[in-house]
Amino acid sequence: LGTLHLSRSGLVRYGLRPQTSSSTSSSWHYLGEGCWQVLPTNGAPTEVVIELRQGLRLQPSSCPDDPEVPSALPPRIFSIDLRDAIRVVDRSMDCDEEDLDDSGDEAEG
């Protein structure tokens, strides 16, 4: 399950975790930051390009016992069509209103 937070400044925070919410030892959680831009070449108007130039890092709190889970994922560039994202509002998050889109939502998909 991927979660992303698009800031109006062009920064993005991205998280990746298993879709199951079990608290077993095989649970993991990656986080990363990067930038985003709208209107990729030959893309739809609702599509954004995400650039994670530093890759994703495994969070220390999600120390899996599985040696198959790498401690980091390499840098990558990908696009997401926001029409396919599930929009949610998490009022418990500590973020500025400027970091939310016009409807006050964050995207998850």
Side-chain angles (χ1 to χ4, degrees), residues 9-67:
S9 65
L11 297 176
V12 62
R13 286 182 298 203
Y14 191 80
L16 186 64
R17 66 178 193 269
Q19 191 155 354
T20 60
S21 60
S22 70
S23 60
T24 64
S25 62
S26 63
S27 180
W28 45 264
H29 188 203
Y30 290 95
L31 288 179
E33 293 182 338
C35 59
W36 68 278
Q37 43 185 310
V38 295
L39 300 175
T41 306
N42 300 323
T46 55
E47 199 170 338
V48 296
V49 173
I50 308 291
E51 296 182 32
L52 299 174
R53 296 181 182 178
Q54 305 300 316
L56 296 171
R57 301 275 180 229
L58 185 65
Q59 293 306 290
S61 61
S62 64
C63 297
D65 294 333
D66 187 354

Side-chain angles (χ1 to χ4, degrees), residues 7-8 26 53 62-63 69 80 83 86 93 99 106 109:
S7 297
R8 289 184 179 160
S26 63
R53 296 181 182 178
S62 64
C63 297
V69 178
I80 296 175
R83 290 178 298 180
I86 301 169
M93 285 188 60
D99 293 339
E106 292 187 340

